[in-house]
Amino acid sequence: MSEQGILVVVSGFSGAGKGTLIKAMLDRYHSYALSVSATTRAPREGEADGREYFFVTREKFEQMIEEEQLIEHAMYVNNYYGTPRQYVFQQMADGKDVILEIEIQGALKIKERFPEALLLFVMPPSADELRRRLVGRGTESEEIIDKRLHRAAEEASGITSYDYILINDKVEQCAQEMHELIQAQHRRVSGNLDFIEQMKAELKAV
Amino acid sequence: MSEQGILVVVSGFSGAGKGTLIKAMLDRYHSYALSVSATTRAPREGEADGREYFFVTREKFEQMIEEEQLIEHAMYVNNYYGTPRQYVFQQMADGKDVILEIEIQGALKIKERFPEALLLFVMPPSADELRRRLVGRGTESEEIIDKRLHRAAEEASGITSYDYILINDKVEQCAQEMHELIQAQHRRVSGNLDFIEQMKAELKAV
């Protein structure tokens, strides 16, 4: 079996429960590492450097781009966001599957550069359920919720670039499905060419 | 989730334990149907028509080819072997995943005609273990065993056309892995385009 970790990109509609799902995965299984993005935006209350994000200056971020320390980066609302290369590759070399929670644009850039990356899209069981969850949060106005649903409809067009969808109905079950799906990828022929070559050589020798 | 069944092709070295593995799968999980091949070879002792094979005359087989009743067929040692279309497609339409145990040549024909088919290759944990299993059967001469191992080495070159490998070390565990792997395929984006379109329409409506 392939001992090199897999790069797993997770995207999904706002309100689909990506954060809770990933937390459940990391709590339950210990073969995963969560990639922490770098950003130039200011920390919000309760956010810690190196936990939610690596908070860096614009100057530092541009230096990271320059030195190719990021495997993808993008700008949203005048702030940079990017994925530091070193952590991701170190964890993968150590056999950890690395989870990257990023937006569609970033996900497509990753797939272009790393075709072996696994792209997962998290969906609610239905649009009604998504609306219920957004309303249930109680933190957003009707207007913001409509905007999020409208954005989700737009984002849905990008799903066809992903490999698999995950329906997040019950979070524990979805975490297990996500785990099984990632483990299945370790059995891909393309990730086991060394093992196959070794078997071929052994078969000739016995 | 995709409700149409998946076509699963299982190949593997002689002695890798395909038969036992598939039996364990069918005993344990009930979402699978096993495709039974048609052949012109004579039944061996203990074989029943419709269980091991559909035993047909050469004339009948050639008529089946003519009428495109087979999704693949091949000739080995002057006998035809083929996969009847109707059973496979009926079961898939009923939501069953259909298991086809066939040789590499047949598997590649299936993949060509049905790119969504899932090709699995069953391997022993090592070449030594394969030899031990063949010797352990106690039914074959040293010469036949050497021939089988030599053939396995040749077949190993075809593995790269498969999607996934399964290491059959402990059969119960391997059956579970095979099940999880097939279930994961039901979450492929390409098999869920209707669901995605429906979600998009719903998101626009809520």
Side-chain angles (χ1 to χ4, degrees), chain A residues 21 26-27 30 53 56 75 94 96 99 108 114 181 201:
Chain A
L21 175 63
L26 295 172
D27 284 351
H30 299 97
Y53 287 97
V56 299
M75 190 172 259
D94 289 351
K96 295 266 185 183
I99 313 285
L108 301 188
F114 310 101
L181 210 159

Side-chain angles (χ1 to χ4, degrees), chain A residues 86-106:
Chain A
Q86 201 195 350
Y87 178 82
V88 168
F89 285 83
Q90 185 57 55
Q91 293 292 323
M92 284 168 69
D94 289 351
K96 295 266 185 183
D97 298 319
V98 178
I99 313 285
L100 242 67
E101 187 199 332
I102 52 177
E103 305 275 324
I104 293 192
Q105 280 73 12

Side-chain angles (χ1 to χ4, degrees), chain A residues 20 26 60 68 148:
Chain A
T20 325
L26 295 172
K60 169 71 179 161
E68 297 186 350
R148 286 194 191 276

Side-chain angles (χ1 to χ4, degrees), chain B residues 38-198:
Chain B
T39 184
T40 57
R41 84 153 164 75
R44 293 182 192 141
E45 211 179 305
E47 287 184 341
D49 187 44
R51 192 179 63 196
E52 280 76 17
Y53 287 97
F54 292 108
F55 297 100
V56 299
T57 62
R58 176 170 293 246
E59 194 184 8
K60 169 72 179 160
F61 199 101
E62 285 172 351
Q63 188 192 333
M64 289 168 85
I65 298 173
E66 187 75 20
E67 294 174 354
E68 297 187 350
Q69 290 178 32
L70 303 168
I71 58 175
E72 61 82 32
H73 69 276
M75 190 171 258
Y76 298 102
V77 205
N78 210 25
N79 274 307
Y80 281 121
Y81 294 81
T83 305
R85 171 189 298 276
Q86 202 196 350
Y87 178 81
V88 168
F89 284 85
Q90 186 56 56
Q91 293 292 325
M92 283 168 70
D94 289 350
K96 295 267 186 183
D97 298 320
V98 178
I99 313 285
L100 241 68
E101 188 199 330
I102 53 178
E103 305 276 324
I104 292 191
Q105 281 75 9
L108 300 189
K109 281 186 203 165
I110 294 280
K111 192 71 177 178
E112 217 177 282
R113 297 184 62 179
F114 310 101
E116 289 296 318
L118 184 64
L119 268 57
L120 309 183
F121 199 92
V122 182
M123 296 172 89
S126 69
D128 279 341
E129 174 61 21
L130 185 64
R131 185 177 186 89
R132 261 194 299 278
R133 289 184 195 174
L134 290 170
V135 172
R137 289 178 176 181
T139 53
E140 280 132 356
S141 67
E142 190 78 7
E143 196 193 329
I144 295 280
I145 289 171
D146 281 344
K147 250 191 203 156
R148 287 195 191 273
L149 289 169
H150 185 76
R151 174 139 179 250
E154 278 173 8
E155 284 179 338
S157 302
I159 302 177
T160 47
S161 303
Y162 283 71
D163 298 308
Y164 295 91
I165 58 168
L166 282 166
I167 311 291
N168 189 10
D169 189 1
K170 298 197 164 57
V171 69
E172 284 297 322
Q173 192 193 325
C174 191
Q176 188 185 330
E177 287 175 8
M178 185 170 162
H179 173 66
E180 289 173 5
L181 209 158
I182 297 169
Q183 291 315 302
Q185 296 311 301
H186 281 277
R187 301 187 186 97
R188 281 205 76 84
V189 163
S190 52
N192 287 280
L193 297 177
D194 289 349
F195 176 79
I196 294 166
E197 276 309 308
Q198 189 195 323

Side-chain angles (χ1 to χ4, degrees), chain A residues 3-10 31-38 54 64 68-73 82-102 106 110-111 113-114 116-118:
Chain A
E3 283 166 24
Q4 161 95 3
I6 291 170
L7 187 54
V8 183
V9 174
V10 181
S31 53
Y32 300 103
L34 183 65
S35 162
V36 176
S37 298
F54 292 108
M64 288 167 86
E68 297 186 350
Q69 290 179 32
L70 302 168
I71 58 174
E72 60 83 34
H73 70 276
T83 304
R85 170 188 297 276
Q86 201 195 350
Y87 178 82
V88 168
F89 285 83
Q90 185 57 55
Q91 293 292 323
M92 284 168 69
D94 289 351
K96 295 266 185 183
D97 298 319
V98 178
I99 313 285
L100 242 67
E101 187 199 332
I102 52 177
I110 294 280
K111 191 71 175 178
R113 296 184 62 178
F114 310 101
E116 289 295 316
L118 184 64

